[in-house]
Amino acid sequence: MKVINKTLLLMFLAVLLVLAACSNNDDNSSDNNSEGSNDNNESSGEQTAGGDLQFVLNTQPPTIDPIMSTATATRDISRHIYETLVTIDSAYEPQPMLAESWEISEDGLTYTFNLREGIKFHNGEEMTADDVVASMNRWLERSSTAQSLIGEGTFEEVDKYTVELKLQEPSIFVLLALGGTLQFPGIMPKEIVEAATETGVEEHIGTAPFKFVEWKQDQYVHLEKFEDYTPREETADGLAGERIAYFDNVYINFVPDPNTQLGGVTTGQYHIGHGMSYDMFDQLESAEDVEAVAPIIGQYGIVFNKFEGQFAEVKMRQAVNAALNLEDIANAALGGKYRMSSSYMQVEQEAWASTEGEELYNNPDPDKVQALLDEINYDGEPLTFITSREYSYMYDSAVIIKEQLEQVGIKVDLEVYDWATVLTLRDDPSKWDLLITGFPMTMTPVEQLFYNDTWIDGPEDEKTEQLLKDIATADTIEEAKVFWDELQGHSWEILPILKISDYTTVMGVNKNIEGFLYLDGPVFWNTSLNQ
């Protein structure tokens, strides 16, 4: 079995960034931050076509319309149904997918995309400029990534196989936004886009190697090999290049119970388990037919409700930060599979990693807590902390955070729900004060969800808004990095979130699986089952 894990590879911007080797020498790093990973991208032999892949997720997504949710479960499924104009290779550089090529005008305001001809949708119709324009303009209107990195823009048809993106202002991040993996701009037939409701598209038709068959709620999503798929000719590299569907069918099974996940993976019922409990890593590692994998996938932390309630006051957020021993939380919740780092961008991203504000990270100070609580006249009103057992690291972290906060006199009501209910409650600011969630890697700081005014945490202050604008409109990466350092330092003062640590996902992969890639989520094309 070959597992290809590219998540730890460098996420540098197009040709503007300098690739550098990943370092594991950070003084604050856990020694276990990537146990079981394998960066070999070569198959051990001839891959076998046919068979069904049984994949297990610990939760089902709220939707599989890729632009309607930032949930990683949405991304992990929808990337196998829909494709984009631009994608990324293993070095996170933009590469063409449904676009054959592109040109950029001298003023940076017009991007011309030449489309691949003869590409079929899953309904048998050919993809043309009409479909691309409809899909991309819907994405521009709804995607927080598009709004933060591109701003005002419109896609227009030039001819049947050519489209243009017209911008109000130039941006050095356009191609990265188009190739991003979260809330990505999947291309769909025009009629499907036009029929979409406020909750998303009602039919799932794309151009990817697998086509949607069925979503059986609370059980599985069934995908089937798309026989008329036309792969690119370039060698596969990351998400770019040739994509081959070896499996006849893919079943993404939703199994919230950790013991059921473990039993299914170790007995061969499931070929790949994803998002498994951290305390099961050693059991996976000792299983005869399973390889245990734990790549770092991003960061996780506390989200504060800044719309209303106690955390609208910055000093209450600062009091929580001063109360917590973050490493104790990470160690208990992640079973040693974490890395302590104050940088909101991962340390491998040398163009963006920052140490600004690190003196405020993981520095508990009970006296400071009491002084801050006195300043705001905290009266003992309990905080409403919502969480779910479906993500063990969230629940385990929440339990420890509650204990630590109550030790310094901050009361907490811990409310435990299924994940779907948490997603519903967090959209209503009157229902919660804080929650735990994970944040996947992003290519630029301005893509971080917690810097978006429309996200669940609430509005940003004026200084943050200005620095985000300065980063997005910078002429060079070097200039943008200066603004980003200032913003990270400011963020540790006002705490849009409270980062706990970089975190991993625990996976068990059957040793008969060949060519499996994990790059910002699992990849089922170019993967096979060899008996």
Side-chain angles (χ1 to χ4, degrees):
M1 183 275 296
K2 294 288 185 179
V3 176
I4 310 167
N5 168 28
K6 295 296 182 180
T7 303
L8 294 179
L9 290 179
L10 311 178
M11 296 175 65
F12 296 113
L13 302 177
V15 295
L16 301 175
L17 301 182
V18 179
L19 296 176
C22 295
S23 173
N24 287 325
N25 298 323
D26 190 287
D27 291 339
N28 294 323
S29 297
S30 163
D31 291 336
N32 299 318
N33 63 359
S34 59
E35 287 190 47
S37 64
N38 183 343
D39 289 336
N40 188 348
N41 63 355
E42 294 183 2
S43 171
S44 61
E46 189 74 21
Q47 290 185 263
T48 304
D52 298 344
L53 174 68
Q54 297 288 345
F55 181 84
V56 63
L57 273 177
N58 58 333
T59 187
Q60 71 176 347
T63 176
I64 53 176
D65 181 341
I67 73 167
M68 293 303 296
S69 176
T70 57
T72 55
T74 296
R75 172 202 66 193
D76 293 348
I77 297 173
S78 61
R79 65 166 29 170
H80 297 95
I81 304 170
Y82 302 104
E83 294 182 308
T84 50
L85 289 178
V86 179
T87 191
I88 53 172
D89 62 19
S90 58
Y92 285 77
E93 295 183 359
Q95 300 293 343
M97 180 47 66
L98 292 177
E100 189 63 55
S101 61
W102 58 76
E103 299 88 38
I104 306 172
S105 63
E106 289 188 9
D107 60 8
L109 295 177
T110 302
Y111 286 67
T112 302
F113 295 91
N114 304 301
L115 307 178
R116 294 170 64 196
E117 298 184 22
I119 298 300
K120 294 291 185 65
F121 283 113
H122 298 153
N123 61 4
E125 299 296 323
E126 185 184 16
M127 180 197 75
T128 66
D130 282 344
D131 306 302
V132 173
V133 168
S135 300
M136 296 306 298
N137 283 334
R138 177 173 178 255
W139 177 74
L140 288 175
E141 293 171 2
R142 289 186 172 271
S143 166
S144 58
T145 296
Q147 293 159 10
S148 60
L149 295 186
I150 294 178
E152 294 295 324
T154 304
F155 274 84
E156 300 174 358
E157 178 181 352
V158 176
D159 58 41
K160 186 177 181 179
Y161 299 112
T162 311
V163 300
E164 286 184 344
L165 169 60
K166 300 281 191 177
L167 302 175
Q168 296 295 315
E169 295 181 354
S171 169
I172 57 176
F173 300 136
V174 169
L175 294 176
L176 289 164
L178 296 179
T181 60
L182 199 64
Q183 208 176 15
F184 65 86
I187 303 302
M188 312 173 186
K190 178 182 179 181
E191 61 271 19
I192 301 296
V193 174
E194 292 178 342
T197 68
E198 285 301 307
T199 59
V201 295
E202 297 183 340
E203 292 184 76
H204 300 291
I205 298 175
T207 62
F210 296 97
K211 62 182 181 180
F212 175 80
V213 177
E214 178 187 19
W215 182 353
K216 196 164 186 178
Q217 286 289 330
D218 300 316
Q219 294 189 45
Y220 59 79
V221 165
H222 174 199
L223 308 179
E224 181 181 78
K225 179 178 181 178
F226 178 39
E227 298 290 351
D228 290 332
Y229 181 72
T230 304
R232 295 193 65 93
E233 295 181 357
E234 301 91 340
T235 301
D237 180 12
L239 302 183
E242 184 180 49
R243 297 179 173 184
I244 299 175
Y246 287 106
F247 294 109
D248 294 327
N249 299 278
V250 172
Y251 292 90
I252 299 101
N253 301 277
F254 308 124
V255 182
D257 180 68
N259 291 317
T260 305
Q261 296 171 21
L262 179 65
V265 171
T266 56
T267 61
Q269 177 184 1
Y270 305 120
H271 300 112
I272 303 173
H274 179 250
M276 302 178 71
S277 178
Y278 290 91
D279 60 10
M280 292 177 174
F281 186 88
D282 291 342
Q283 292 169 273
L284 289 168
E285 198 168 38
S286 63
E288 181 178 356
D289 297 322
V290 178
E291 181 171 343
V293 183
I296 283 180
I297 58 173
Q299 61 189 305
Y300 91 109
I302 301 172
V303 178
F304 301 109
N305 173 8
K306 305 195 302 290
F307 281 108
E308 59 183 65
Q310 299 183 67
F311 288 124
E313 167 58 65
V314 65
K315 290 182 180 179
M316 189 63 180
R317 306 196 295 269
Q318 292 170 344
V320 169
N321 185 30
L324 299 179
N325 185 314
L326 301 178
E327 185 154 19
D328 283 354
I329 297 166
N331 190 49
L334 303 177
K337 306 298 184 289
Y338 68 94
R339 177 176 60 202
M340 299 302 293
S341 170
S342 63
S343 179
Y344 285 172
M345 300 294 284
Q346 273 60 50
V347 296
E348 291 83 13
Q349 300 165 263
E350 293 189 2
W352 294 114
S354 177
T355 59
E356 294 299 314
E358 66 179 353
E359 69 278 2
L360 299 174
Y361 174 69
N362 194 32
N363 189 16
D365 184 344
D367 292 337
K368 181 177 180 180
V369 175
Q370 192 56 57
L372 287 164
L373 294 179
D374 289 343
E375 286 184 50
I376 60 177
N377 297 314
Y378 174 66
D379 61 3
E381 179 184 355
L383 302 169
T384 300
F385 197 156
I386 60 174
T387 191
S388 173
R389 293 180 187 270
E390 291 178 31
Y391 288 94
S392 61
Y393 78 93
M394 295 183 189
Y395 175 76
D396 293 342
S397 295
V399 170
I400 300 166
I401 291 167
K402 172 181 167 68
E403 292 175 356
Q404 291 190 9
L405 290 180
E406 291 188 339
Q407 286 173 3
V408 296
I410 301 174
K411 296 181 180 179
V412 176
D413 286 340
L414 187 61
E415 299 181 358
V416 183
Y417 303 96
D418 61 82
W419 182 239
T421 301
V422 171
L423 292 176
T424 299
L425 291 174
R426 73 181 196 174
D427 289 331
D428 183 347
S430 69
K431 301 296 186 182
W432 65 284
D433 291 307
L434 68 165
L435 56 83
I436 298 286
T437 196
F439 299 92
M441 291 184 180
T442 62
M443 294 187 183
T444 70
V446 296
E447 293 173 78
Q448 298 281 10
L449 286 172
F450 46 82
Y451 286 136
N452 191 290
D453 275 343
T454 64
W455 200 56
I456 61 170
D457 64 326
E460 309 305 327
D461 68 319
E462 290 184 5
K463 183 173 181 179
T464 296
E465 293 284 6
Q466 183 58 54
L467 287 169
L468 288 169
K469 183 176 180 180
D470 291 339
I471 294 169
T473 58
D475 293 329
T476 66
I477 298 301
E478 292 76 17
E479 180 184 343
K481 178 58 163 57
V482 173
F483 293 126
W484 166 236
D485 280 338
E486 184 178 357
L487 177 54
Q488 171 151 313
H490 177 63
S491 296
W492 274 108
E493 294 175 0
I494 65 167
L495 297 164
I497 64 161
L498 173 49
K499 177 181 176 179
I500 296 173
S501 73
D502 294 334
Y503 78 127
T504 62
T505 184
V506 171
M507 304 178 67
V509 184
N510 188 286
K511 290 181 179 179
N512 286 325
I513 290 293
E514 195 78 21
F516 175 63
L517 166 71
Y518 188 94
L519 193 156
D520 286 5
V523 176
F524 303 145
W525 61 81
N526 300 340
T527 303
S528 62
L529 176 63
N530 295 340
Q531 299 290 357

